[in-house]
Structures are given as C-alpha cells and as structure tokens.
Amino acid sequence: MKENIEDTNRCNCSEVNDQNIESVVEEVVNQTGREKDKVIPILQEVQKRLNYLPSEALKHICRITEITPGQISGVSTFYSQFRHLPAGKHTIKICQGTACHVKGANLVTDAFRRVLAIGEETSTTSDNLFSIEEVACLGCCTLAPVVQIDEKTYGHVKPTDTENIIADFLHHASKKTRSSEVEEQEKAESEIRIGLGSCCVAGGSKEVLAEIISIREKYGLEVNLKPVGCVGVCNQTPLMEIITEDKTLSRYTNVRTDQVEDIILRHIKPVKLDKKIRYRINDIVDTFLSDSKLNSPANLSGATREKVLNNFLKKQLHLATEKSGILSPESIDEYILLDGFSAFRKCIYLPDKNDITNTITSAGLRGRGGAGFSTGKKWNIFRQSTDNLKYIVCNGDEGDPGAFMDRMLLESFPYRVIEGMMVAALATGASEGIFYIRAEYPLAVKRVRNAINMCSSRGFIGENILNSGFSFSIRIFEGAGAFVCGEETALIASLEGKRGTPHLRPPYPAVKGFGDHPTLVNNVETLALVPWIINNGADAFNTIGTEKSKGTKVFALAGKVAKGGLIEVPMGTTIRDIVENIGDGVAEGRKFKAVQIGGPSGGCIPEYLADTPIDYEELTRLGAMMGSGGLVVLDDADCMVDMARYFLTFTHKQSCGKCTFCRVGTKHMLNILDRLSEGKAIMDELDELEKLCISVSNGSLCGLGKTAPNPVLTGLKYFREEYEEHTRGICRAKRCTSLIKYVVTDKCTGCTKCSQECPVKAIPFNPYQKHEIDQTLCTKCDNCRIVCPEDSIEIVNLNDQY
Amino acid sequence: MISIRINSREIEASEGETILEVARRAGYHIPTLCHSDGIAHYTSCMVCMVREKSSGKFMPSCSSPVMDKMDIDIESDEVLQLRKKAVELLLSEHRADCEAPCRIVCPAGYNIPLMNRLLSGGDLENAGKLSHNQLNTSEIWCFHCPGYCENACRRKKIDIPVSIKNLQIFASGKNAVSDKDPVKPTKEKKKFMSLAGKLEERELLEWLKETDATLTRHREISSMPDAGEEALSCMHCDCRASEDCRLRELGQEMEIKDPRGKIVNSPAEKKINRETNLIFENAKCIKCGLCVRVCEDRTDEPVLCFINRGFVSIISEPLTENFSDILKIRTAECINICPTGALSWFKDNDVDETVK
C-alpha cells in the first residue's frame, strides 16, 4: 500500500472505546446543553467526533442529560444524517436529485459499487476506506450527475469515470492543496472576480483562484481579488471577470487553470521592471512555442464572449439576487456600501411598525417555499399573537431534489436574508431568529454563521440595536436530514428535539409553534425579497408579474436543457421562454417533451402547454404546483412512468410514517409503478392507481402526502398513452430496463472498446468482428454505448413496435 | 359558544373542542383507532375522517378543532369510502392471523388453540366441555376426519404437527368409533387471514418462541401429563386479540375483503418477556402510537418508542435497552390500550375465553 496515501487517509476521528466515548460525550454536552431540545445538535457533534453513534454514546447521553432513551432512539433513527454503524474513512455521496436521476445517477451508483466491490448487503468497502451513500439532492444540478467524496465535488460523472475519480480523489487527498485564501491587499484600481458558489467550486473555481493568486504573486500584479457569490450561470463555470483601471469589464467562461495566466496578462500588466521583463520573455516563448495563446479565450472578442452569457442573463430580473456577481458573500462592509441594511434602517425608525406588514401585503408577496400563502397575511396573524417570546424561523431545509435556489441565496447573499428576517422581526414583534439550514449545505451554514458574527460585531444583531430599543438574536440550527422537515410543523418538532412528524393545523405555528410560542416560518427566498420591497416600495413589486402572482421567482433550471443554472424571472414568464430562450433549448438535439415543476410535489407539464405563464394559480390549475422552484426539463429519452416512479420513491422514502395514507398508500402506488416499469401491470391497475392517488391526496395529514400523488396524476392526465403502453410492455423512451435491450448495429468496427468496458463480460473479445451482446448477462449499465466511438450501440424495445 | 352543523343539524360547541368530541356528545358515532379519551391526539390512523362541506376538505375529526359555521358531513359515501380505504390500507400492513390455520380448515371450525391452552393449563374438564359444545355432537368425528387440522398445523413445518386429533379424542373422553358422516363445514367464514400457511423459515423460528422446543412430543395421548405436554407444543397461531381487536371489528363492519396475500409489510418478530407476561408482535402493529403516548415522558422506567422513519417505522424498546427491561410497571396500561393484538398478555390466566 502506498504509505503516503494511507497516512493522509487515516481517519482523524478519535479511537472508539468506552472511556473515550464518555469523555467525548461529556465535552459535547458541556458545550451544547442538557435540555431535551438539544438532542439533535448533540448527536451531530458526537457523530462528527466519533464517526458514528456507538450505543455507549447514546446511553451516556441519556445519563447526563434530560434526554430519554425513547427520545434518543426515535430521533437518531428518524433523521438520515445519523448512523449507528461506523462508516468508511471517506464517504462517496451520490446525488439522487432529479437532474442527476435523468442523467443516470443509478448507473453511477452501480458503477461505484462494482469498482469498489461493495456487496449488496453493505455500503462500505471491506477495507473500510470508502462508504457509499445515496443522498438527496446536493444542489449542484447543472453538473449532473454529481458525486461528492468528503468535501470534494465531481460533476458530469459518467459510469465509466468511476475508477479515475477514485484515483484522483486519493491523489488529491494526499497532496497539499494550494492556498485559495485571498489575503487582503492594498486597494488597487483593477479587480478580478471569480465565482465561488458550490457549483462553481465543483467546476474547479478553487483551483482557478489558486492559480490566479500564484500568477499575481509571480508577476507582482497590482490587482484586487474578489471571490463573488453565485451568478447563476452554472453551466459556464468557472466564471472569471476582469475589471481594468478604465472600468471595462471582460468576462471569461469555462476558464481552465492553464488559461488563467494568459487571460490575466492580457488585461493587467506587471508594474515592476523585473517582472515586466519576465513577462516579456514568457510572452515570446508562449507565442512561438505553444498553442495555448492561439486557443486562449482571451483571443476572442469581448462581444463574442458576452453573447453566450447575455442570452442567459437578458431575460432575468434580479430582485432576490440583486447585485449577483458583484457582491462578495463574506463582506459586510461591501453589503453596506451597496445599500445593504437600508431597508432595515428605514424600518427601525418607523413610528408605526404596522406599515411594514401593510407594505408587504400590498406588494403581494407570497411564500416562495411552494404553497404561496400571502406573506403579509401570515405576518399579520403572527403579529397579532401576543407572547413575550416570538420566534422567526428562516426555512432553509430545501429538500426538493433538483432545487438549489435557497442554497445559492444563503451562500451568496447571507446578509440580505438576515436583513429580511430582521425587517420581519421589527414588523411583528419577534425577539429571536433561527436559521434552519440543511446539514447537506455546509458552505451555506458557514457563510450564514460568518454573516451573523459580522452583524453582531457591528451592532446590527443583539441588544438595543442602533439605540432603537429593539433587540434581536439569531442562531443556526442544522437540519439532520429529513425532507419532511420542510413542512413547518415538522420543522418545529425537530427544533424541539422530537421526531420530525407534522401535526394537524390548526393550531398554526404563527399562533402556537416552537415551545408553544408563536413562530413565523418563512422561506429563504421570501425573506430575501423583503429588503427590495421595502427599498423600492410595494408598487414597484406589484407591477411585476401577473394579477395574482407578483414579483419574481428564482428557479433552478436543470435537466436536459442546454444551459442550466439559477435564474430569477418575473412571474408570468412562460415556460417555453425559460426553456428555449434562457436555457437555449433541449440539449443534444433531442425533442422537448415536458418540464417537471415543483419537485416531488409538483407535476409534469407537457410541451404543448409550455406557453403557460408561471403563476401560482395557473400551475395548480394544470395539476402541478409552483413548488420551491425546481424546474427540470425532460426530453424524449425520459420516460414519464420512470419519472413518476422516481418521485414517488423519493416521497415514500421521506414520508415520516405517521399517517396511514402516506405511509401505506404510497407503498401501494409504488408497487403498481414498479410493476408498470417491468411491464407486468394490467390496464385495470391504472384505474386502481388513479383512485389510490385521490385517496392519498385527500387522506394525508400534511403537504408531503397530499402532493405526493401529483407526479402520477399529471402523468396519467397528460401522458396516459405512455402508461398504457407500459401495460403492453413498451417503454417508448427506452428507459425502463426490463423492457429494453442493448444491441450492436452494423456500424460496429470491431474495435473491442465495449468489450473492455463491459463489467459483466457480456461482450466477447473478438477484434475486427462485429460485437455481440449476450442478453442473458447484460445488466444495461450503458457503459458500452457511452464508449463506442462509432455510436453503433442502440437501445431497442423488447416488445418492439417502435 | 360556537355553532356548527353536523349532517345539517345545528349543534352548539365550545372553543377548543374537537369535531369528534362534539359529534359524540350529539349522539353521532365516528369510528376511531388511534384515539383514546384522555390521551393527546396523534392523528395517525385517519379512520375518523369527516368532511367539511363548504371547503370540501376531508379532516380527521379527532384532532380538528371546531370553528364557527363549520358544516360537517359524517356519513356521506365519500366519507365512508375514505374511512374504508384507511382501514384497508391498515389491514394490508397488518399480519392478520385472527384464527389459526388449524381452526380455519377444520370442517367444524373447532377452536383448537383454545383446547390446547386449556389442556396445557391442566383444565381437562373445560377442554372436554369445549369439545362437546363445538363439535356439536357427543360422537367423535375427528376419528374419521382425514385431519386437515394437522396438515395445516404450522408446527408440521418444523418437526411434527401437534397431535390435535388425539388430543381432542382424549379431551372428549370417548373412544367409541362412529360411522356417521362428519359434520358439515361451518358456514361462517372467519376473517381475516393475511398469510395463512405461507411462513418462511425465519418466521417459523419466531413462532417457535411461543413454546419450548425441548419438550417431548407425543403422538399417542393416554394420560393428562402427556396431553398437557403435547398441548404445550402448540405455537399459538391464532391472535390473542381475536375477540377483542378494534381493527378486526372495523374491517368486518365495513365489509372489507380479506387481504389474503396482498400484505406489504410483515416483520415477523415476536418479543416475549415471560416475567412480565408481555408479548409484542410487530407484524400486528398499526403504528397508532397509543402505547408510546400512554407512557409519554415517564422517566421511572424505559418504555416503548418509535424507531426508523416512514414505511419501515416500528414500535420498539429503545436502542439502549433490552426488551426484558422495559415496561415492568406499565405492562397492563400498554396492553389494555393497544387496539390490536400487537401487545398482549403472553399467558392469559383469565381463561374466561368462551367455552361455548
């Protein structure tokens, strides 16, 4: 074994023995607290230090806190984050989000399992080096399929890449990474900006930044370096912008590390003599001896480079994402400089704080988490609840697979969301704020935590803020992995240290919530829009959008679209506009079939209805739902039965299990869909399925169960022929593995590439002869089709009519 | 005071009351499973559904607070259909073994497990009475019968079936042979039976926990000690709550079809604590949470809790405890509140079971 790699990969976790467990637990409890509602943070920290939750740790926690054995058992088995068995030293997280699913995430999982020889019953390699975990959306949908190993993210993963990825990871883990920390420099006149959202980082922005830093040092350049938050152009990352002394802005997309030097030096020249000479020498050498100058994007005219971006950015309207690409997510000074906290200042000195709620109501702001309830109305109810202690919770538990808007807002505009929360507090008499952020968003947690600290140090959070008499404190709570906790009553239950099961409303949390105190739960995007509305006025907001749906909405455009990313568009923009103009149409020349809006609670809207404007009521009328903003584009290679099955699998797995209809009903629905995808279902079962959907929708306790049937219902409504075809054993999209087979066509040149890649040896190695696939062995992993240089492998229907 | 309508009748109610409370006060019957007066509601089973006419929404009446001008529909077809669906779904997740396979295939419907329990408790007199009452004659039919009961006996899959014929002959005290025809089969079809006969090996081992696998087996029964020991080998395949199960009652009331084989979830595990006389069968649990709620927040002894999430969530002892250490004080409370046979007395010493 290579010793270096082994050394660096040695787990840093404490060795696990009883004595050590007890002392770790005691340390954690002393830091966190002994009350019952501290159970989740305690378990999170103990698991961080011990790699898992040994039984002795659970016992000791119960001994020294108010937490009961029943509570700790119920909680530690409810949330996905917790594990009771040790995991491998490195965890390979394979995203199961919508965009990743349509791009074949299940094949990637199979590939990793194969390559690492991980058996059926387990998820860890025999040497305990790697564990595989299928995780709900990582929020990097435009890079689908996405795999995250520890902190490193890999995008566009193909099943044939798995060995390389593992090797690359182990190699990097042992290398010392170059610094990508930006040191503050004397303010220079020119500036280089680099996007550092999670997707950007996954695309390699950190390496580009490290290269920029080293170039700056090498040539002694006088230039500011500014990491900025997400620009939303996720399909073009890494994204670099250079602003020269004369204030011209040049943008570069898809920047590679080897292009950095050339790009920078085109715009920014070294000042010192010795560096100038060095530059000239390098310049001449490069011009004569390498191609890199020729191919450098710096050679393209600004206009050409901009065109690619402009189409994407032109139709957008940035309200929640105002100043995107300019604001650095970590600097409070810059935020203040660019009008940050002006809404808060306006409100804090208002004699009648009710004006704030009235503004929000007349602006027409509706909850952006999905349900679209009038925010002003909710604030009013909350405002009228009398209690000394009132909470505001920012719901950052974005769990929709395929949605990553809230992640972006928290990572890139944390100060804005905080400002929105504080305006809400002023308007409604709240005294404590809680940011509920998914554990799967560590960068968001870090940025928000940093922002809260900066605000505190400037006196924007704390006692008697700005001498107004208003006091407000904010803390962060990390979700422990349960989609259902996006539902406000389940969220509150988890804050209280309970299992995340919803309860019937009324009573509404705005009246009786966390700890029985009034609690206002608002989505991240909703709060992010508040400062804009206060600053620009209700009328400025309600002139945008449609009659009932005002303002803008952030969408995560992903799936089979050419240019995916995060976009903010006015309500009323049509679906077709988004897909074809902003997203540049369906990729790879395929046919636009449908869009999935609203995630697992939403539905599929077929292409012929793509001229529908984005509007809460319009979408509900069609059987879908606005949802939180996930917008996944589907082409003719996507099977509608498979999509419904994918979403239902998700909701079924995420169901809390409390109410009969969701717990058991979704299982029955899933059984029928499984049978459909295997060609074993009969026509009668379609009617049974529909009836079941309606019962589950009527009988479920909370939104999860009530909306879980939507993908199936819209599928049956708009794509009924496809469902009926499945009862006859045909999958027209050629996706359902039981109904298709892979065949080699006559284009085959006998190059044996497929035979080499086949993991089950289903293709005999016969050079220069047309290859044959042994159908009895074939697992339909898609490897052969991917590697074939002649495109000679086709998928055909078993019960061929097409 | 608030005024609501139920089935178009005006009824007065106070704020804070639930629809169920008001309806019951007014004399209406709404079925429930996970509700118990005096215990905080949990809104799990959804059997108590009603419909609010002006909004068209279905709501669980046990937890919905009354609001002024509500117009409640308790008995329309849609409401009854939804309730029926809830019970159907629960049945599909519930291992219904209301009657033992031996009793079901017996042409006379003889309560064989009860006979076994009486004999193993030494009560020969009542065992004899049972035999005479249920087999409807003073003659011995079992002698002629090919012995469907023994063929269906689950013990057969482990070693040899319980010697039911001989036990019955012994209990009834006669040894005369009759040449009359066997009794016609009982018309009453005993519901419900999810998985009769289809037991896997791992399930058989669970059933074996009901008895002592080291007991000597007897084919011929000539004395009471032998009868007692052989009767002890019975694996108690019938449900302990068969006369007393709220789910069975509702299923029969709503005329629900026997799920037979369409079951979706059946963890076969049986947890037995012979000291506290408690048996817990997860396969019969409908996740109503009453056993957890009735003991909520007790810190004097470990109690039951929910573990896992969603479809695979189950009731269990806490992860840090052994089953034998829980519910020493609260055994009766939990058993009494359980609406199905999931939590029961292991040995029911009150053999007031019908010797009819």
Side-chain angles (χ1 to χ4, degrees), chain A residues 646-657:
Chain A
Y646 162 76
F647 281 118
L648 203 55
T649 308
F650 176 78
T651 39
H652 173 73
K653 192 156 172 224
Q654 296 292 334
S655 163
C656 78

Side-chain angles (χ1 to χ4, degrees), chain A residues 571-755:
Chain A
M571 294 281 197
T573 310
T574 65
I575 297 173
R576 195 181 300 281
D577 223 354
I578 294 178
V579 175
E580 289 177 8
N581 293 333
I582 301 181
D584 218 16
V586 171
E588 288 166 32
R590 303 214 70 110
K591 213 162 141 287
F592 175 22
K593 186 169 181 180
V595 287
Q596 170 74 25
I597 302 191
S601 317
C604 291
I605 303 210
E607 181 274 335
Y608 64 86
L609 289 174
D611 293 305
T612 312
I614 301 270
D615 169 277
Y616 285 101
E617 276 68 36
E618 276 297 300
L619 292 174
T620 315
R621 189 179 59 83
L622 292 177
M625 205 173 109
M626 177 80 73
S628 54
L631 217 162
V632 181
V633 179
L634 306 171
D635 64 19
D636 53 334
D638 290 304
C639 171
M640 301 319 283
V641 173
D642 177 70
M643 284 309 292
R645 189 165 153 237
Y646 162 76
F647 281 118
L648 203 55
T649 308
F650 176 78
T651 39
H652 173 73
K653 192 156 172 224
Q654 296 292 334
S655 163
C656 78
K658 187 179 191 182
C659 75
T660 308
F661 284 96
C662 178
R663 182 181 73 242
V664 192
T666 53
K667 178 68 174 174
H668 284 286
M669 283 161 63
L670 203 47
N671 280 350
I672 298 180
L673 285 172
D674 283 340
R675 289 160 55 73
L676 268 171
S677 76
E678 289 166 13
K680 292 190 186 144
I682 56 174
M683 201 65 109
D684 281 348
E685 289 181 76
L686 290 184
D687 291 324
E688 198 190 314
L689 181 60
E690 198 161 4
K691 283 205 199 108
L692 200 44
C693 284
I694 297 174
S695 301
V696 170
S697 191
N698 284 333
S700 292
L701 176 62
C702 81
L704 191 154
K706 283 196 202 293
T707 58
N710 284 359
V712 183
L713 284 172
T714 49
L716 285 169
K717 185 173 178 183
Y718 299 117
F719 296 97
R720 194 166 184 120
E721 316 87 57
E722 246 186 275
Y723 277 73
E724 290 180 0
E725 279 165 12
H726 278 78
T727 64
R728 296 195 297 272
I730 296 165
C731 173
R732 67 162 79 162
K734 300 193 191 150
R735 185 98 159 87
C736 298
T737 46
S738 313
L739 305 179
I740 53 171
K741 65 180 177 188
Y742 281 69
V743 292
V744 183
T745 64
D746 288 335
K747 289 196 252 172
C748 174
T749 56
C751 71
T752 73
K753 277 221 172 78
C754 57
S755 175

Side-chain angles (χ1 to χ4, degrees), chain B residues 109-243:
Chain B
Y110 183 38
N111 195 344
I112 297 164
L114 177 56
M115 170 189 77
N116 290 335
R117 288 197 279 284
L118 290 167
L119 284 174
S120 60
D123 192 349
L124 183 55
E125 188 190 332
N126 277 322
K129 277 200 190 129
L130 182 71
S131 163
H132 292 168
N133 292 342
Q134 290 203 342
L135 290 175
N136 224 359
T137 172
S138 56
E139 309 278 330
I140 307 162
W141 301 126
C142 298
F143 207 71
H144 276 295
C145 178
Y148 308 112
C149 52
E150 290 188 11
N151 200 32
C153 176
R154 285 178 178 158
R155 190 69 201 246
K156 180 178 164 195
K157 296 215 166 81
I158 296 178
D159 41 23
I160 51 168
V162 175
S163 311
I164 301 172
K165 272 172 79 169
N166 288 343
L167 280 172
Q168 189 280 336
I169 292 170
F170 178 77
S172 74
K174 299 283 175 90
N175 42 27
V177 176
S178 161
D179 36 40
K180 273 221 188 108
D181 292 325
V183 156
K184 287 203 189 72
T186 45
K187 285 275 158 62
E188 189 197 339
K189 279 237 170 246
K190 294 263 171 197
K191 294 186 184 193
F192 293 93
M193 202 171 63
S194 323
L195 286 175
K198 296 183 209 154
L199 280 186
E200 298 166 2
E201 201 181 296
R202 142 189 88 87
E203 292 170 323
L204 283 170
L205 290 175
E206 291 296 319
W207 261 251
L208 204 48
K209 285 184 185 171
E210 297 265 4
T211 174
D212 181 353
T214 64
L215 292 168
T216 318
R217 306 299 310 280
H218 304 272
R219 248 355 234 160
E220 299 297 323
I221 313 286
S222 49
S223 66
M224 192 51 203
D226 282 358
E229 193 171 26
E230 180 59 15
L232 263 178
S233 305
C234 171
M235 300 202 298
H236 205 312
C237 298
D238 62 333
C239 181
R240 289 170 163 85
S242 55
E243 302 300 317

Side-chain angles (χ1 to χ4, degrees), chain B residues 40-162:
Chain B
H41 51 75
Y42 185 54
T43 333
S44 162
C45 70
M46 299 312 207
V47 165
C48 65
M49 283 302 213
V50 297
R51 191 177 203 180
E52 205 285 309
K53 286 193 205 161
S54 43
S55 61
K57 283 198 193 150
F58 290 94
M59 31 182 84
S61 54
C62 67
S63 348
S64 305
V66 288
M67 295 203 282
D68 203 27
K69 308 272 194 315
M70 261 185 168
D71 191 1
I72 306 292
D73 156 17
I74 283 193
E75 274 155 4
S76 73
D77 275 344
E78 289 91 32
V79 167
L80 294 178
Q81 281 304 316
L82 197 60
R83 287 187 198 153
K84 185 173 179 182
K85 194 69 197 171
V87 179
E88 272 176 20
L89 289 173
L90 284 172
L91 266 175
S92 77
E93 189 194 32
H94 169 91
R95 190 197 190 102
D97 270 334
C98 305
E99 305 298 345
C102 52
R103 184 175 191 185
I104 297 200
V105 300
C106 171
Y110 183 38
N111 195 344
I112 297 164
L114 177 56
M115 170 189 77
N116 290 335
R117 288 197 279 284
L118 290 167
L119 284 174
S120 60
D123 192 349
L124 183 55
E125 188 190 332
N126 277 322
K129 277 200 190 129
L130 182 71
S131 163
H132 292 168
N133 292 342
Q134 290 203 342
L135 290 175
N136 224 359
T137 172
S138 56
E139 309 278 330
I140 307 162
W141 301 126
C142 298
F143 207 71
H144 276 295
C145 178
Y148 308 112
C149 52
E150 290 188 11
N151 200 32
C153 176
R154 285 178 178 158
R155 190 69 201 246
K156 180 178 164 195
K157 296 215 166 81
I158 296 178
D159 41 23
I160 51 168
V162 175

